[in-house]
Amino acid sequence: QVQPVESGGGLVQAGGSLSLSCTTSGRTYSSYALGWFRQAPGKEREFVAAISWSSDDRVYAEFVKGRFNIFRDDSDNTVYLQMNSLKAEDTAVYYCATHFDPSGRLASTNRNEYRYWGQGTQVTVSS
């Protein structure tokens, strides 16, 4: 298994930036994709961004395109989500999750394909 752990959440004003980190442990020699999801109070957990093992495939939800950037640093098994131009509606608990992908080239947007989830980190954007 590849267990993810998130960090980097906090409180920021609208228009500001935050960087979230997701560090993985376990069978990190396996090829896995990593995704970020978020859940606001009273809402379903939704896809935000994902990156393949090879970093060739990066996908974003429409509502974060042009504002968020996902990238990985394999030297320390960490994936980052750089969030810019934050809006009040970005307020949520952000989760990272991993899914095994033998090809190493795919990143899924489907949360049902993600097996291992972190505990989540709170992001609050004040307007």
Side-chain angles (χ1 to χ4, degrees), residues 19-120:
S19 181
L20 304 183
S21 302
C22 180
T23 302
T24 57
S25 62
R27 295 179 59 185
T28 56
Y29 55 84
S30 302
S31 60
Y32 62 92
L34 192 140
W36 284 98
F37 295 76
R38 70 186 188 186
Q39 188 167 17
K43 294 189 176 182
E44 294 283 321
R45 190 170 299 189
E46 61 182 357
F47 170 77
V48 176
I51 186 168
S52 63
W53 171 258
S54 63
S55 296
D56 288 345
D57 190 19
R58 306 183 198 199
V59 290
Y60 298 91
E62 283 298 321
F63 52 78
V64 302
K65 279 184 179 178
R67 299 190 298 125
F68 290 11
N69 181 38
I70 187 170
F71 57 98
R72 62 193 303 160
D73 182 348
D74 291 328
S75 66
D76 59 1
N77 296 322
T78 300
V79 172
Y80 300 90
L81 184 68
Q82 177 64 39
M83 305 186 296
N84 302 318
S85 302
L86 283 161
K87 306 175 182 179
E89 51 263 43
D90 293 318
T91 295
V93 178
Y94 283 70
Y95 298 88
C96 64
T98 59
H99 81 82
F100 180 61
D101 169 44
S103 77
R105 300 194 304 271
L106 301 177
S108 175
T109 62
N110 183 350
R111 68 180 184 183
N112 294 322
E113 296 189 21
Y114 288 81
R115 183 172 182 182
Y116 299 106
W117 292 79
Q119 294 299 306

